[in-house]
Amino acid sequence: MVQSPFPSQITKWRELRGLTQRQLAARIGTSSSSLCRWESGENTPKRDHVEKLDELLRASGRLLKVWETQTSGSSLPPWMQDLWRLKEEAVHIEFLSPVLVPGLLQSPGYARIVFEHGQPLAGPAEIDDLVSMRCARYDRLRERNDPEVVAVFPHSALTCVPDEVRREQAAHLVSLGRRGRVRVHLVPEGSALIGITSPLLLCRLVDGSRAASSDHVSGNVLYDETIGFDRLSELVKRALGSALPLEQSMEVLERLST
């Protein structure tokens, strides 16, 4: 098993500051034997001790971030490991969707079809509630941070639904695009988002940090910018390269809305 880098990071920062285990333990109010076990990986300190370590060793949050990754699998704060709250803190959102229009940008008719197929055990009233909640979410984000949204998805995401729903959804996207905060890039017919096997979302947050989410049947997998984020960013760049420019995409949407 690969050992977490957290124990070695304590040692690194302690030695960088010229402190012995005994000296550092005394400053944070613990025993030198406890600190020794932390540095050997035998035990993991609690958050309040890690915060003291980070402050005393002048690690500028880096030691705390490594500890968070070890204990939770992500350096994102626990509250931010909820996908919706992640979007609420975003100032810039990028969607890659290999099949459908991203949920945040769906019109009521389109969302209803998605839920009717994706939630086969839900009754009509529950479907109504799901549609209502989904279609209200973008307005909530506009009220909070009004993030820039870039969405890349295939032309077939619009032509795979009945004509009336296709017109409604395309008109909705045109309306959002005219505000200037939503940019849609359609992958043209005959092309596909190669390498994108599930919906992918990348966010730049209000504090300048970045996070990502990959959507699967059983739930979302969240990534912070320390683990796998560069690969996901590269997927976004390549997807944009294979999609139509904004102006051409808007022209196609205009045609599909009539």
Side-chain angles (χ1 to χ4, degrees):
M1 182 173 66
V2 178
Q3 186 178 15
S4 163
F6 176 69
S8 63
Q9 286 293 306
I10 303 177
T11 305
K12 170 192 149 184
W13 285 100
R14 175 177 61 77
E15 292 178 346
L16 188 64
R17 300 307 172 203
L19 297 172
T20 65
Q21 286 185 341
R22 187 181 297 276
Q23 289 170 329
L24 179 57
R27 293 191 186 188
I28 64 171
T30 192
S31 65
S32 56
S33 60
S34 291
L35 183 60
C36 180
R37 286 194 291 273
W38 295 346
E39 290 193 9
S40 68
E42 243 181 282
N43 288 339
T44 302
K46 293 183 178 178
R47 186 183 186 92
D48 57 344
H49 278 128
V50 181
E51 289 175 345
K52 288 179 182 178
L53 282 169
D54 193 275
E55 181 180 359
L56 284 167
L57 297 173
R58 303 196 298 279
S60 303
R62 282 170 284 190
L63 189 58
L64 180 60
K65 191 170 233 185
V66 175
W67 175 86
E68 288 174 334
T69 300
Q70 172 178 308
T71 55
S72 70
S74 172
S75 66
L76 294 171
W79 65 266
M80 203 173 283
Q81 294 179 36
D82 174 278
L83 180 59
W84 174 243
R85 294 190 68 185
L86 190 64
K87 292 177 185 176
E88 285 188 321
E89 292 302 308
V91 294
H92 185 84
I93 300 174
E94 294 172 313
F95 287 104
L96 299 185
S97 182
V99 179
L100 300 172
V101 175
L104 191 67
L105 306 180
Q106 289 176 5
S107 67
Y110 195 99
R112 182 172 300 278
I113 289 177
V114 171
F115 283 124
E116 285 175 346
H117 285 79
Q119 302 288 339
L121 302 181
E126 187 176 354
I127 294 293
D128 288 343
D129 288 342
L130 290 170
V131 170
S132 178
M133 286 188 292
R134 171 163 288 184
C135 294
R137 284 183 167 183
Y138 180 65
D139 286 337
R140 284 175 57 188
L141 292 189
R142 285 180 60 187
E143 292 170 1
R144 190 173 180 88
N145 290 319
D146 197 14
E148 293 181 320
V149 177
V150 177
V152 183
F153 55 88
H155 179 276
S156 59
L158 293 160
T159 57
C160 69
V161 296
D163 288 347
E164 65 273 16
V165 176
R166 179 254 300 161
R167 287 191 291 268
E168 175 194 274
Q169 179 64 71
H172 180 61
L173 292 170
V174 169
S175 176
L176 292 176
R178 284 174 177 160
R179 288 191 61 247
R181 301 294 288 175
V182 174
R183 302 200 304 275
V184 172
H185 294 268
L186 295 176
V187 178
E189 292 181 279
S191 300
L193 290 173
I194 304 298
I196 310 297
T197 58
S198 61
L200 181 64
L201 174 148
L202 280 75
C203 295
R204 186 170 71 248
L205 309 177
V206 289
D207 64 359
S209 62
R210 300 178 299 170
S213 168
S214 182
D215 191 11
H216 300 277
V217 172
S218 57
N220 296 92
V221 178
L222 291 168
Y223 306 83
D224 61 42
E225 58 186 343
T226 65
I227 302 175
F229 198 92
D230 288 343
R231 182 180 70 85
L232 302 181
S233 294
E234 184 62 27
L235 288 175
V236 172
K237 292 177 185 175
R238 295 190 179 194
L240 285 167
S242 66
L244 296 173
L246 177 62
E247 294 78 9
Q248 290 184 34
S249 293
M250 288 297 288
E251 290 173 4
V252 173
L253 290 173
E254 291 276 8
R255 292 198 298 271
L256 290 172
S257 67
T258 59

